[in-house]
Amino acid sequence: MALKSKLPHVGTTIFTVMTNRAREMGAINLAQGFPDFDSPELLKELLAQKTSAGHNQYAPMIGESSLREQIARKMQANYGRTVNPEAEITITLGATEAIFSAISALVHPGDDVILFDPSYDSYGPAVILAGGRPVHIPLQAPHFRIDWQRVREAVTPKLRMVMINTPHNPTGMILSGDDLNQLAEVLRPTDAFVLSDEVYEHMVYDGARHASVFGHEELYARGVVCFSFGKTMHATGWRVGYAIAPPDITREIRRVHQFNTFSIATPLQLAIAEFLKQQPSHSNELSGFYQRKRDLFLRQLQGSPFRWIPSEGTYFQLLDFSGISSVQDAEFADIVLRSAGVASIPVSPFYQSPPHLDVIRFCFAKKDETLIEAAAKLRQLERVAS
């Protein structure tokens, strides 16, 4: 029997590869984006209560009403915009499923979808599986900004969607309100959708504010915005996310979602809903919490051969190793793993056609002692012969 792959060029993700290697070598894992500290005690207690109370059967396909209502309150408080929890909010299996379901629902064979490289590794395959054509536009290093003229030049009658990610994984940059206005201007003459991955919405630093497609009236009219409780609750293993979109777009997303995952674990949804009710300030405390960790990590790196631009958002920090070696990033990440015992993520796997890159990504969603130990190891790195 001949097997024809739909994704012949896709292998095991770089996250799995580096995490497995870190485990095998007993290295400090600053590669994959998960905390090494636990979720809030109250959240865990609420989960135990909900399971003990018998909330263990199927949830509604669109999500538990109590959770959707709490999300609506949160969005109103954060962005000053009213959202209908019945018609515009869908609970998904993490933000990845929200993104996949939205692409599957809205992108048709032959459609163009603009992606900005480096782009998260699930975007391109989801577009290809929908029959679309990824159109990759590189961000401009070292600050990884969008070249809006290149975007204008990429607009064709086949354009169906533009995907953005802010705060941005893996670079840590954030889009501004002006960026959103420029995107709106570019798309005004088209019928294209905007899919905005905003899972790190509450991790924005140095007094900046998150510019959301949800808060932009013109873009939201053609938008899908995806979020993650895994990120905000320090519980990446729970895999609970949500998509917000206008009612007509939401109906199409739900047509796919119901045959994809159908519904998400009931006690998880109920526990998060109750946590949001009891601790409404939790999300707004995350920027300060993670900025302290970013700053600790960078302070500990003082005196190292690395250079950096402080991350504007997410819980990732790029470090420039050009003062140590001139090899490509994947090779240098391997050197760091073997020589320093610290796992990182190269940025090149996030590109369709990677340029020469001299930055690698580290996750600072870790205990303080983990960051201090990792930085001490990184400070010991010496110049590597090219």
Side-chain angles (χ1 to χ4, degrees):
M1 180 178 66
L3 177 63
K4 185 177 180 180
S5 175
K6 288 188 172 182
L7 296 170
H9 304 297
V10 174
T12 304
T13 71
I14 189 64
F15 307 108
T16 300
V17 170
M18 295 304 289
T19 291
N20 287 345
R21 292 198 62 202
R23 187 180 301 113
E24 291 166 2
M25 299 180 66
I28 298 174
N29 188 0
L30 301 191
Q32 195 166 7
F34 61 83
D36 68 348
F37 48 86
D38 211 350
S39 306
E41 287 299 320
L42 174 61
L43 183 64
K44 295 187 293 181
E45 292 169 4
L46 290 169
L47 177 60
Q49 292 174 18
K50 299 304 180 183
T51 55
S52 296
H55 298 290
N56 299 303
Q57 309 309 322
Y58 290 124
M61 182 268 286
I62 65 174
E64 288 287 348
S65 60
S66 60
L67 180 54
R68 288 182 285 108
E69 288 165 2
Q70 288 299 323
I71 291 170
R73 292 188 180 95
K74 169 184 170 295
M75 300 307 286
Q76 174 67 46
N78 287 345
Y79 302 107
R81 185 185 186 92
T82 300
V83 60
N84 184 330
E86 285 296 312
E88 297 178 79
I89 300 174
T90 306
I91 309 302
T92 60
L93 186 63
T96 301
E97 190 249 311
I99 292 166
F100 187 89
S101 292
I103 292 171
S104 298
L106 301 175
V107 174
H108 297 263
D111 287 343
D112 286 352
V113 178
I114 290 177
L115 310 177
F116 295 100
D117 284 355
S119 57
Y120 189 67
D121 64 352
S122 75
Y123 298 171
V127 172
I128 292 168
L129 288 171
R133 184 177 77 98
V135 177
H136 294 266
I137 297 178
L139 298 172
Q140 296 178 298
H143 295 280
F144 295 95
R145 302 304 181 201
I146 294 176
D147 182 342
W148 288 106
Q149 182 56 37
R150 291 195 64 169
V151 178
R152 292 181 180 91
E153 293 168 357
V155 174
T156 73
K158 291 186 176 182
L159 181 63
R160 183 69 171 177
M161 179 181 286
V162 176
M163 295 184 65
I164 61 174
N165 173 205
T166 182
H168 185 265
N169 177 16
T171 71
M173 73 85 170
I174 61 175
L175 295 183
S176 67
D178 182 64
D179 285 312
L180 297 189
N181 289 337
Q182 292 208 57
L183 178 58
E185 179 184 338
V186 169
L187 296 183
R188 202 166 290 144
T190 77
D191 291 324
F193 298 100
V194 176
L195 177 52
S196 188
D197 177 353
E198 301 182 16
V199 299
Y200 299 101
E201 60 167 333
H202 295 298
M203 300 163 201
V204 176
Y205 310 129
D206 302 314
R209 290 182 59 84
H210 172 56
S212 174
V213 164
F214 177 75
H216 192 287
E217 184 172 355
E218 185 175 356
L219 288 179
Y220 182 66
R222 61 170 84 220
V224 181
V225 196
C226 302
F227 301 94
S228 168
F229 285 117
K231 304 296 189 296
T232 56
M233 300 293 179
H234 318 310
T236 60
W238 283 29
R239 308 294 292 135
V240 181
Y242 54 103
I244 302 181
D248 56 338
I249 299 176
T250 291
R251 280 193 296 272
E252 296 306 311
I253 294 172
R254 289 174 178 176
R255 291 180 198 272
V256 174
H257 167 73
Q258 69 180 335
F259 296 116
N260 186 354
T261 58
F262 183 72
S263 67
I264 312 308
T266 302
L268 298 180
Q269 292 191 58
L270 295 176
I272 293 171
E274 186 61 29
F275 182 86
L276 291 174
K277 183 179 180 180
Q278 293 190 32
Q279 298 287 336
S281 65
H282 170 79
S283 295
N284 295 328
E285 295 169 354
L286 291 175
S287 285
F289 175 81
Y290 278 115
Q291 182 171 330
R292 285 190 291 274
K293 289 189 174 293
R294 181 203 68 176
D295 292 348
L296 170 67
F297 184 50
L298 295 181
R299 280 199 308 274
Q300 294 295 316
L301 285 170
Q302 293 290 342
S304 79
F306 290 99
R307 296 194 295 267
W308 56 81
I309 299 170
S311 171
E312 296 175 328
T314 74
Y315 44 52
F316 302 115
Q317 175 65 53
L318 295 184
L319 295 183
D320 181 328
F321 60 84
S322 58
I324 309 172
S325 175
S326 60
V327 301
Q328 176 66 316
D329 63 335
E331 184 177 348
F332 188 76
D334 184 65
I335 291 170
V336 172
L337 180 60
R338 289 186 287 103
S339 301
V342 179
S344 62
I345 292 288
V347 177
S348 55
F350 297 86
Y351 283 83
Q352 180 191 46
S353 301
H356 181 84
L357 294 163
D358 48 20
V359 291
I360 51 178
R361 192 200 79 173
F362 294 84
C363 175
F364 55 81
K366 307 296 177 181
K367 297 173 184 174
D368 289 358
E369 53 266 35
T370 303
L371 296 173
I372 292 170
E373 182 182 0
K377 291 175 176 290
L378 293 172
R379 285 199 306 271
Q380 303 307 310
L381 277 172
E382 298 180 356
R383 179 166 178 81
V384 178
S386 302

